[in-house]
Amino acid sequence: MIRKCLAAALSCVIMLSVSLSPGAAEIEDAATGANTQAAIVAADYAEVGGTLEPEETLPSAYSSADEGFTTPVRSQKYNTCWVYSSTASMESLMLKIRYPSQHLSTMHMNYWGCTLENGNGWQRAYTAAGYPYIALGYLTSFGCIPDNVFDENKTTADYAAMKDTIYPYQAADSVIYLNGSDRDTIKTAIQTYGGVVGNFHYDAATLNMATSAYYYDTPGLTTAQLNGHAIEIVGWDDNYAVNNFVEGHQPSAAGAWLCKNSWGTSWGRDGYFRISYEDLYLFDTRFGPSYAIMSSTPMTANSMIRQNENFGSTYEFNYIQKLRPNMKKMTYANVFDFSDGYDHIDKVVFESTSEGSSYTVYYIPVDSDGAPVTDTSRWMLLAQGVIDHQGYISANTYGFTPSDQKGSIGIQIEKNNTNTSDITIGSDEWLTVGSRYLFKPDSTYGQSYLIGYKTEAMDVMDFYKNSLEDEIGGTFVIKAYCSNDDKEGDVDRDGDFTILDVTLAQRYLANLMPLDDEQLRFADFDNNSHFDSIDVTLMQRRLAHL
């Protein structure tokens, strides 16, 4: 069971009578050096994170590494601790759900999180430090791929050449932002999901090299002084003795987290170290949210993530309750084109920090202008529930297939009967530090709409322009996981799965004919990034309806 805690956006928004500041997404960050291993950039984020209530008594000590839920320690390239910690967490989840153990590509995420050719996206080079929101955006918007598909030696030129032919094999569909001040919450997340991505301020002077125990106890560091580092937290020990820490910098009580680092196995104890429960900057919200990946969706040749933004949530669209505090509910909608055949909507994923509020997922037809209709009698209920955690929420829609080639997915969020819940949704809104952009979206008209703010559906770009004097805007984080059953196994790419596709696969295994990369992707029936005789057997069983 998850209980309500804090809910906030990236930074505070200042209300100006009837309009809001156009600099709503301006934050102040630390000048993290590009030559440091500790490279998660700190910023003046507001607090965010919910709590988890354990279903049973937690043990005094636990280790996902000892339980077999961690992959081997790696040594990060560049300032990419945020990449290695997030992929390690995804790998731990895969092991928890009994997926084959393998390293995920780190360089693909790193290059993905750089400035796009059109100048938009994250405003960073691949050697620069990063933010946790880049990793969260990658895992929920693209997914992940095995390291053997795009390994650490790949270059930016390789990324450019391969980006249209590389497909994900898993995508994170549910992520929880965690309240790091609640120790049982972190423990529960580790035990349930394998690991937690956390961040802390690193200063080598307070690391006991002999015991690999770390504790930083100097209070009052400003954001600019923080030297952030991201790690996967994989265990704990309530009885870890204080004398393990540097003399003169020892906590008042026993207890420490077990952390998997990304500085190689020669650092720490085979790449692991302990950090005190009392460390002053572990889980500091200026590093962004600490989080756990709760579930993922296998991505096959017959599936795709339909989305109008490709970056995930960078900001919480919390303007409605500031402009109209008495509003109890709001519907946010993204318009999609389903004409490509991937029209079975299996689940809908959205981001929100409105923990405790109710949500309802609708399929909403569009009018002749392409805007969602406001006549609720034409809306189709797909799913509903309560937002039980802050982060990314996944709602099963069980293959609903719209009859229209174009339509919209609406997320209606409604307050509960208390004053603690709200009606926010994530958006990929721009971010700045002073006059410098950290992130620039690809937002355009006709993608996202507000329903219930005015009589007709309102394009969110008009809302940004008219209410915020903002020409850049953002797009709602509403994703539809769609499939096309006719595509699976379609090796010859003719639109149908037939005995000819099985024959082509068999001839390839017998070294009688070649298959290109795309054909091999569709032949990989079990979606393990490797085509072999097992895939042929699965193809034959499907043809025989077994």
Side-chain angles (χ1 to χ4, degrees):
M1 177 180 178
I2 302 173
R3 58 181 187 269
K4 175 70 183 172
C5 190
L6 296 174
L10 286 175
S11 62
C12 295
V13 179
I14 302 173
M15 185 171 179
L16 302 176
S17 61
V18 295
S19 64
L20 301 181
S21 166
E26 183 177 349
I27 60 178
E28 176 188 348
D29 76 343
T32 301
N35 60 352
T36 177
Q37 288 179 303
I40 188 79
V41 178
D44 282 335
Y45 300 108
E47 290 187 53
V48 66
T51 57
L52 285 165
E53 190 170 307
E55 295 183 359
E56 55 187 33
T57 302
L58 292 163
S60 61
Y62 172 85
S63 167
S64 284
D66 291 344
E67 296 294 328
F69 299 135
T70 60
T71 50
V73 170
R74 293 199 275 186
S75 182
Q76 71 184 62
K77 294 183 69 173
Y78 316 121
N79 294 294
T80 51
C81 56
W82 53 277
V83 176
Y84 284 78
S85 57
S86 59
T87 52
S89 180
M90 189 74 170
E91 290 161 4
S92 291
L93 177 68
M94 294 295 96
L95 291 169
K96 288 286 289 187
I97 62 178
R98 307 302 178 188
Y99 245 74
S101 171
Q102 58 183 315
H103 274 141
L104 300 175
S105 174
T106 53
M107 283 304 102
H108 194 266
M109 182 192 294
N110 183 31
Y111 298 148
W112 179 93
C114 295
T115 307
L116 303 177
E117 292 179 1
N118 65 5
N120 292 335
W122 290 97
Q123 304 298 293
R124 61 176 293 275
Y126 68 91
T127 57
Y131 297 81
Y133 297 96
I134 308 177
L136 286 170
Y138 176 87
L139 292 173
T140 57
S141 301
F142 175 82
C144 58
I145 59 175
D147 188 67
N148 59 19
V149 175
F150 196 92
D151 62 37
E152 293 179 325
N153 295 316
K154 290 289 192 296
T155 65
T156 53
D158 294 323
Y159 179 82
M162 300 171 65
K163 67 179 181 179
D164 294 328
T165 59
I166 288 182
Y167 305 94
Y169 98 113
Q170 288 279 336
D173 58 41
S174 186
V175 178
I176 181 171
Y177 304 151
L178 299 166
N179 179 1
S181 64
D182 189 301
R183 197 172 298 168
D184 282 355
T185 286
I186 303 301
K187 290 179 178 180
T188 302
I190 293 169
Q191 193 173 51
T192 306
Y193 309 116
V196 165
V197 178
N199 310 286
F200 68 105
H201 167 74
Y202 180 70
D203 183 339
T206 58
L207 172 70
N208 187 334
M209 295 294 292
T211 59
S212 300
Y214 182 85
Y215 170 55
Y216 194 84
D217 58 349
T218 301
L221 293 187
T222 66
T223 301
Q225 292 174 315
L226 292 174
N227 185 35
H229 185 54
I231 35 81
E232 183 192 19
I233 305 172
V234 297
W236 67 86
D237 184 351
D238 293 341
N239 299 311
Y240 193 76
V242 296
N243 59 13
N244 285 306
F245 298 91
V246 171
E247 187 174 352
H249 295 277
Q250 293 176 342
S252 63
W257 302 105
L258 175 65
C259 304
K260 179 185 177 184
N261 206 356
S262 53
W263 293 343
T265 55
S266 61
W267 186 92
R269 292 199 169 180
D270 298 321
Y272 288 81
F273 71 107
R274 299 278 183 176
I275 184 168
S276 169
Y277 288 158
E278 297 180 15
D279 187 273
L280 293 185
Y281 300 97
L282 179 64
F283 308 122
D284 193 306
T285 55
R286 287 177 289 179
F287 296 121
S290 302
Y291 62 89
I293 303 168
M294 303 172 74
S295 64
S296 66
T297 295
M299 302 301 295
T300 66
N302 75 323
S303 62
M304 68 174 296
I305 303 175
R306 199 176 294 284
Q307 54 198 344
N308 290 339
E309 46 69 37
N310 297 307
F311 306 103
S313 178
T314 62
Y315 198 77
E316 200 71 12
F317 191 88
N318 62 353
Y319 306 107
I320 302 301
Q321 60 266 40
K322 293 178 180 296
L323 289 173
R324 298 184 182 178
N326 293 327
M327 290 198 74
K328 301 296 184 182
K329 65 181 177 181
M330 178 56 60
T331 301
Y332 308 92
N334 274 5
V335 174
F336 298 119
D337 186 341
F338 297 98
S339 62
D340 57 7
Y342 292 85
D343 54 359
H344 304 318
I345 305 173
D346 300 310
K347 65 177 61 174
V348 170
V349 173
F350 64 97
E351 196 274 359
S352 178
T353 58
S354 298
E355 185 181 351
S357 295
S358 299
Y359 74 86
T360 309
V361 181
Y362 293 101
Y363 174 77
I364 304 175
V366 297
D367 60 24
S368 58
D369 294 326
V373 302
T374 56
D375 180 0
T376 57
S377 68
R378 298 177 60 188
W379 295 12
M380 297 176 217
L381 175 66
L382 301 184
Q384 57 188 354
V386 174
I387 299 176
D388 62 357
H389 66 271
Q390 296 183 35
Y392 287 79
I393 315 298
S394 178
N396 287 323
T397 49
Y398 304 103
F400 170 81
T401 304
S403 58
D404 314 298
Q405 288 192 335
K406 191 173 185 180
S408 67
I409 301 296
I411 308 294
Q412 185 176 91
I413 300 178
E414 185 172 3
K415 292 184 178 183
N416 61 24
N417 294 324
T418 72
N419 295 322
T420 58
S421 62
D422 46 40
I423 52 173
T424 71
I425 197 167
S427 67
D428 69 336
E429 190 172 319
W430 53 272
L431 300 172
T432 61
V433 175
S435 60
R436 178 174 64 88
Y437 280 101
L438 293 180
F439 173 77
K440 295 172 68 176
D442 271 328
S443 303
T444 61
Y445 280 84
Q447 294 182 327
S448 295
Y449 291 83
L450 290 165
I451 305 176
Y453 188 74
K454 291 191 173 182
T455 303
E456 301 299 324
M458 183 181 189
D459 195 306
V460 74
M461 295 297 286
D462 283 329
F463 177 89
Y464 276 109
K465 181 179 179 179
N466 298 334
S467 299
L468 306 179
E469 299 178 4
D470 178 1
E471 299 284 351
I472 301 175
T475 308
F476 296 142
V477 179
I478 301 172
K479 305 172 186 290
Y481 282 56
C482 298
S483 60
N484 183 339
D485 292 340
D486 294 334
K487 299 289 185 183
E488 193 171 32
D490 181 18
V491 180
D492 62 5
R493 310 299 291 112
D494 67 350
D496 293 303
F497 175 55
T498 66
I499 189 63
L500 177 59
D501 296 300
V502 180
T503 301
L504 292 175
Q506 291 172 323
R507 289 176 63 81
Y508 172 81
L509 284 180
N511 296 315
L512 296 176
M513 67 170 295
L515 293 177
D516 62 31
D517 288 343
E518 185 174 8
Q519 288 174 312
L520 287 173
R521 175 179 174 246
F522 279 79
D524 180 19
F525 218 72
D526 60 6
N527 193 39
N528 67 351
S529 300
H530 176 67
F531 172 64
D532 53 25
S533 59
I534 295 176
D535 296 297
V536 173
T537 300
L538 293 173
M539 294 168 75
Q540 292 170 327
R541 288 178 62 85
R542 181 181 173 189
L543 277 177
H545 303 289
L546 298 175

